[in-house]
Amino acid sequence: MTKNRTFLPRQLLARLEQPFSPKNFRIVVQMPPSPRLPIAPTTQRPNVLPSKSQPLTMKRIIFATASIIGPFFLAAPVQAVSQRHLEQLRTTNKCVNCDLVRADLVSTNLSGADLSGANLTGANLFGANLKDADLRRASLGNASLSGASLGGAFLSGAFLKDAFLRGSNLQGANLTSANLSGANLSRATLVDAVMNRANFSGAYLFDANLKNGNLQEANFSSAYLEGADFNGANLQKGNFKNADLRNSDFSEADLRGANLGGANLGGANLFNANLCDATMPDGSKSRQGCQ
């Protein structure tokens, strides 16, 4: 009869099978004596880590695994929002460089608020009004901004990696050099927004509206832009390498010097687009629009 086998990750199993040496750690557990069974006196405590001659029991696996991964959980305390800073924001509409990590600001009216340099990582700003707010250099990684109003907001240099901005309104906002890599901006409105040198690599912009946006040297590499509207946008020297641009609208757009290498342009509208010196998906240089 085949004995039941316990499967572990290869690296952990190799760690468990190592013999004791000064270079390896040893976990020792002092088990309390049973009141029913006498235990012969010994000076050697039981070794939890098995050697090659010891069977790999579930108890040893649990103790050894906990000892390896446990310290990582204990060493990373959960950071909470500063109630003092939260109250300051609600009272004065200003909180520069504040700690607002994971703050609950759902549907809050923060129009014109000064949050420059604030840490809003993981904050819930669903449906919040941030029109004309100052969020320069603010940290908004993993924040929820779905349906939020950010029209005219100042977000230059802001960190918005993996933020959720689906359906948000960023019309006329300033996102110069902002980091939006991996962010979800599907169906977001970015009409007339300033996004020079912004990083949208790997971001999701399905059906996003970027009409007349200023996007010089913006990075859209490996981004998902199916159905996005770039009509009349300034995309000079933009990077669209390996981006999904199916059914997107680039009519009247300025794509001079842009990199479209490896991009999927299936069904894209390039009517009257200026593609002078742009690198096309096949690696060739376009002369369309060159004088």
Side-chain angles (χ1 to χ4, degrees):
M1 181 180 295
T2 304
K3 292 184 179 179
N4 291 331
R5 298 178 60 188
T6 303
F7 292 90
L8 292 172
R10 185 177 300 174
Q11 292 181 345
L12 177 57
L13 189 56
R15 185 75 175 271
L16 292 172
E17 290 178 346
Q18 290 179 354
F20 175 80
S21 72
K23 295 181 180 179
N24 299 322
F25 64 87
R26 168 184 279 181
I27 302 172
V28 177
V29 176
Q30 179 67 52
M31 301 298 291
S34 170
R36 293 176 297 174
L37 297 175
I39 298 177
T42 177
T43 57
Q44 183 177 5
R45 292 177 293 181
N47 183 12
V48 175
L49 288 179
S51 65
K52 292 183 178 179
S53 61
Q54 292 177 306
L56 189 63
T57 64
M58 185 54 68
K59 282 186 177 180
R60 291 194 177 97
I61 292 169
I62 293 172
F63 283 129
T65 304
S67 68
I68 293 171
I69 66 174
F72 293 99
F73 292 98
L74 296 174
V78 177
Q79 187 177 358
V81 61
S82 168
Q83 293 301 319
R84 178 172 61 86
H85 289 170
L86 191 59
E87 184 61 28
Q88 177 185 333
L89 174 62
R90 287 171 173 163
T91 304
T92 67
N93 209 33
K94 181 177 181 180
C95 207
V96 178
N97 297 323
C98 282
D99 175 11
L100 297 166
V101 175
R102 289 191 302 281
D104 185 359
L105 296 164
V106 174
S107 300
T108 303
N109 183 8
L110 295 168
S111 178
D114 187 353
L115 288 159
S116 54
N119 187 355
L120 287 148
T121 302
N124 190 348
L125 290 150
F126 178 87
N129 181 5
L130 289 156
K131 185 178 179 181
D132 299 320
D134 188 349
L135 289 156
R136 289 175 294 176
R137 302 177 306 282
S139 294
L140 289 148
N142 292 296
S144 175
L145 291 147
S146 181
S149 177
L150 290 147
F154 300 91
L155 289 149
S156 56
F159 184 82
L160 290 140
K161 181 177 172 61
D162 298 323
F164 195 78
L165 292 137
R166 182 181 174 87
S168 58
N169 182 5
L170 290 140
Q171 183 167 350
N174 189 330
L175 290 151
T176 301
S177 299
N179 185 351
L180 293 119
S181 58
N184 189 333
L185 290 139
S186 298
R187 298 183 180 177
T189 299
L190 294 124
V191 176
D192 297 320
V194 179
M195 297 166 275
N196 296 326
R197 298 179 299 282
N199 181 7
F200 292 94
S201 60
Y204 300 85
L205 291 106
F206 299 110
D207 298 322
N209 187 349
L210 299 103
K211 284 183 179 179
N212 302 316
N214 199 338
L215 292 143
Q216 293 186 62
E217 299 182 38
N219 181 9
F220 287 97
S221 60
S222 300
Y224 302 90
L225 296 149
E226 184 176 359
D229 191 347
F230 288 96
N231 176 262
N234 185 347
L235 297 158
Q236 291 182 49
K237 297 183 179 179
N239 182 7
F240 291 90
K241 186 175 181 180
N242 299 320
D244 184 355
L245 301 168
R246 289 174 296 167
N247 303 313
S248 53
D249 185 2
F250 287 97
S251 57
E252 308 291 341
D254 188 348
L255 286 153
R256 287 177 290 174
N259 182 5
L260 296 160
N264 187 343
L265 284 165
N269 181 7
L270 293 164
F271 179 74
N272 276 348
N274 190 336
L275 290 158
C276 184
D277 290 328
T279 301
M280 302 308 289
D282 61 0
S284 63
K285 286 285 187 179
S286 173
R287 301 303 298 165
Q288 180 179 321
C290 296
Q291 301 298 327

